[in-house]
């Protein structure tokens, strides 16, 4: 069993995972407990992109698990849990209760079967979001699947209006709070509209406070922490340093208050703290406080040593600190633990090798990135540049790859889908230069 398949086995067959698994894998385990063991579990929010499954197959070489429909996995490869899931789906999704449908769809989304979920839940679910919290949750899961696909240019029918519809008609409580949160996030991320962001954030925050008496204490702390974390976008968009820090301090304080109760409740707290730590690293980078950024990145790394993403964050901080050798170590460790992010980690390792004048290793890193993501234009461009410099015969292939990718268009998936990534365009608090960083990352807060 390879390292990637050992770390990510639940995505392949819903089998057991090792201890200290990455945060997203731990969340998958919780959803399994909800569906298969009948536990009353909270919603965990860790979420990967649709292309994660493709990257996992590329990293592990386990092509037999390359299915877009879970019922298509060969019977001899199914664990008991996977077979249970197939039995539920083969029996007819609409025959399940709405509560059971939510559990099934939640697990499928967690496994990155977004296309399957988008097709499984009918569009009419949106119109029934006001019937009950479960109906609102089902509609939310269909919208979330569409949004994830749209982010990678695979679902042109998705519109932010879907989340707005749920936010307007869902019953009070988390059923309404969750789509309101998405209205804030997406007005920042894809519209860069500060007035709309402020409008939806005010509604989002008010909905949390109005329903506090009816929320479980952990759910309230989760919701209010997320509200302040996403609320940090507004002062950041206005280049308000003090306001951004104030919101992020509150987000972290509420997240830390969640650490009490049962094993499951403490896992819920750890799940929420993960993106808070991530955002605080980006906040420190945005404020150009590189010592604090490093301190926070190391804490985050030590809390999740088997998560490739925390190593990418450490590498980004090291790049900003002009420490290429230390950055290279981080990106190489991220590549070992990938997916997710194996292509980015290898590309950035190539950048570090180039900076350190180790061109043969840079070429290997760029080619490794292309094995995971054959559409990685920057990696192809880097491979061509280095191959020509060292006189490698791979230059002919790299030249062809660059030409083909150029012909396909150099737009990002978000641009192809009609959106823009506003995070990357936010101004720094002061007009000073910054070092290059991973192509799909940013120094802005994480939603």
């Amino acid at each position: 069993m390879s390292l990637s398949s050992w770390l990510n086995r639940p995505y392949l067959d819903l089998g057991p995972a090792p201890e200290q698994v990455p945060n997203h894998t731990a969340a998958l385990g919780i959803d399994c407990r909800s569906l298969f063991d009948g536990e009353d579990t909270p919603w965990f929010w860790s979420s990967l992109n649709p292309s994660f499954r493709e990257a996992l197959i590329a990293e592990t070489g386990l092509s037999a698990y390359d299915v877009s429909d879970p019922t298509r996995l060969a019977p001899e490869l199914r664990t008991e849990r996977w077979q249970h899931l197939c039995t539920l789906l083969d029996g007819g999704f609409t025959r399940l209760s709405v509560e059971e449908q939510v559990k099934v769809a939640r697990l499928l989304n967690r496994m990155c079967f977004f296309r399957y979920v988008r097709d499984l839940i009918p569009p009419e679910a949106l119109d029934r979001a006001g019937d009950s919290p479960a109906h609102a949750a089902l509609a939310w899961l269909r919208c979330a699947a569409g949004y994830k696909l749209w982010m990678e240019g695979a679902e042109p029918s998705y519109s932010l209006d879907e989340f707005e519809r749920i936010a307007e008609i869902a019953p009070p409580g988390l059923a309404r709070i969750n789509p309101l949160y998405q209205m804030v996030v997406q007005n920042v991320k894809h519209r860069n509209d500060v007035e709309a962001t402020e409008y939806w954030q005010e509604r989002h925050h008010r909905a949390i406070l109005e329903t506090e008496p009816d929320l479980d204490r952990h759910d309230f702390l989760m919701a209010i922490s997320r509200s302040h974390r996403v609320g940090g976008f507004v002062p950041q968009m206005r280049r308000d340093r003090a306001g951004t820090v104030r919101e992020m301090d509150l987000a972290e304080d509420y997240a830390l208050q969640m650490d009490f109760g049962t094993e499951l409740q403490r896992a819920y707290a750890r799940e929420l703290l993960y993106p808070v730590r991530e955002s605080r690293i980006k906040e420190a980078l945005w404020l150009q406080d590189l010592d604090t950024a490093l301190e926070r990145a190391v804490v985050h790394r030590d809390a999740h040593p088997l998560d490739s993403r925390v190593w990418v964050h450490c590498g980004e901080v090291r790049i900003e600190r002009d420490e290429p050798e230390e950055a290279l170590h981080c990106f190489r460790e991220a590549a070992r633990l990938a997916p997710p992010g194996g292509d980015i980690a290898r590309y950035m390792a190539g950048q570090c090798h180039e900076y350190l004048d180790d061109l043969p290793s840079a070429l290997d890193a760029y080619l490794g990135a292309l094995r995971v993501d054959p559409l990685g234009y920057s990696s192809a461009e880097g491979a061509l540049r280095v191959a020509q410099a060292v006189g490698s015969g791979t230059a002919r292939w790299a030249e062809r790859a660059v030409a083909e990718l150029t012909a396909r268009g150099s737009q990002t998936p978000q641009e192809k889908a009609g959106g823009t990534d506003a995070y990357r365009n936010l101004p720094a608090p002061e007009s000073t230069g910054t070092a290059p960083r991973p192509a799909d990352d940013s120094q802005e807060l994480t939603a």
Side-chain angles (χ1 to χ4, degrees), residues 99-177:
E99 290 75 15
E100 289 175 316
Q101 290 178 27
V102 168
K103 289 187 174 186
V104 169
R106 193 170 81 187
L107 179 65
L108 291 170
N109 266 0
R110 186 83 64 199
M111 297 168 71
C112 302
F113 285 118
F114 297 110
R115 170 52 58 196
Y116 187 83
V117 169
R118 184 74 171 177
D119 295 337
L120 184 68
I121 303 174
E124 294 74 28
L126 195 64
D127 297 325
R128 300 199 61 187
D131 290 2
S132 71
H135 283 91
L138 192 65
W140 188 96
L141 287 164
R142 186 179 192 276
C143 293
Y147 173 54
K148 281 290 188 178
L149 292 165
W150 178 83
M151 283 283 288
E152 293 192 345
E155 183 52 271
S157 72
Y158 166 78
S159 168
L160 182 55
D161 294 344
E162 296 179 31
F163 280 114
E164 183 173 355
R165 172 67 172 159
I166 302 173
E168 296 292 359
I169 68 174
L174 293 181
R176 182 179 298 171
I177 291 168

Side-chain angles (χ1 to χ4, degrees), residues 10 12-15 32 35-36 70-91 104 107 111:
L12 295 168
D13 65 2
L14 293 178
C32 284
L35 179 60
F36 303 121
T71 66
R72 299 293 184 182
L73 186 67
E76 63 270 18
L77 298 178
R78 300 178 185 179
T79 59
E80 182 178 347
R81 280 180 165 180
W82 195 288
Q83 183 56 54
H84 187 176
L85 175 63
C86 291
T87 300
L88 291 172
L89 294 170
D90 288 338
V104 169
L107 179 65
M111 297 168 71

Side-chain angles (χ1 to χ4, degrees), residues 143-214:
C143 293
Y147 173 54
K148 281 290 188 178
L149 292 165
W150 178 83
M151 283 283 288
E152 293 192 345
E155 183 52 271
S157 72
Y158 166 78
S159 168
L160 182 55
D161 294 344
E162 296 179 31
F163 280 114
E164 183 173 355
R165 172 67 172 159
I166 302 173
E168 296 292 359
I169 68 174
L174 293 181
R176 182 179 298 171
I177 291 168
N178 294 335
L180 284 170
Y181 173 85
Q182 282 298 325
M183 292 304 298
V184 181
V185 170
Q186 294 186 40
N187 271 290
V188 175
K189 192 170 185 179
H190 305 295
R191 295 182 176 177
N192 198 21
D193 186 336
V194 66
E195 286 77 19
T197 300
E198 286 182 308
Y199 168 77
W200 287 107
Q201 172 60 4
E202 191 278 330
R203 289 190 56 179
H204 173 225
H205 196 75
R206 186 173 70 247
I208 296 169
L209 297 180
E210 289 175 349
T211 55
E212 178 183 0
D214 301 320

Side-chain angles (χ1 to χ4, degrees), residues 367-436:
L367 293 175
L370 287 166
R371 279 194 294 273
V372 179
D373 179 15
L375 301 182
Y377 181 86
S378 296
S379 297
E381 195 174 44
L384 175 58
R385 179 176 61 251
V386 175
Q388 289 174 334
V390 300
S392 170
T394 58
R396 293 182 63 187
W397 173 86
E399 185 174 5
R400 180 177 179 180
V402 169
E404 289 178 352
L405 291 173
T406 300
R408 291 174 64 99
S410 59
Q411 289 179 305
T412 65
Q414 292 89 340
E415 289 170 337
K416 291 177 182 177
T420 59
D421 198 339
Y423 288 166
R424 300 173 200 168
N425 298 321
L426 294 181
E430 297 174 3
S431 297
T432 59
T434 56

